[in-house]
Amino acid sequence: MLDRIGLDRRDRRNLLVVMGAVAVVMAVVSEGTPAVRLAVGAIAGVISGVVFVVSTVVINRYKPAHW
């Protein structure tokens, strides 16, 4: 599915790294029970993944030819 919107293998790897890093950081710095921390980390990871995909697709579509 990600191939159809223009993400190559490197972009998919970067997506997982960004989602994982944001999820871990948010789970560590949030307050609450462990279940709440995991939920906050998962939600933040998904949101950051969506933002990463949208921004990467826009950059790939409208970047100058010399990039």
Side-chain angles (χ1 to χ4, degrees):
M1 181 179 136
L2 293 176
D3 290 335
R4 292 189 300 182
I5 61 174
L7 294 179
D8 60 2
R9 184 175 183 169
R10 186 181 63 192
D11 291 334
R12 289 190 298 262
R13 183 200 65 213
N14 291 342
L15 171 65
L16 291 177
V17 169
V18 167
M19 288 178 67
V22 169
V24 167
V25 168
M26 288 302 294
V28 169
V29 300
S30 63
E31 294 183 14
T33 64
V36 170
R37 288 179 174 215
L38 288 175
V40 167
I43 292 168
V46 169
I47 291 171
S48 68
V50 169
V51 170
F52 181 87
V53 167
V54 169
S55 62
T56 302
V57 168
V58 169
I59 288 171
N60 286 342
R61 185 155 303 170
Y62 296 110
K63 68 182 177 184
H66 65 275
W67 274 12

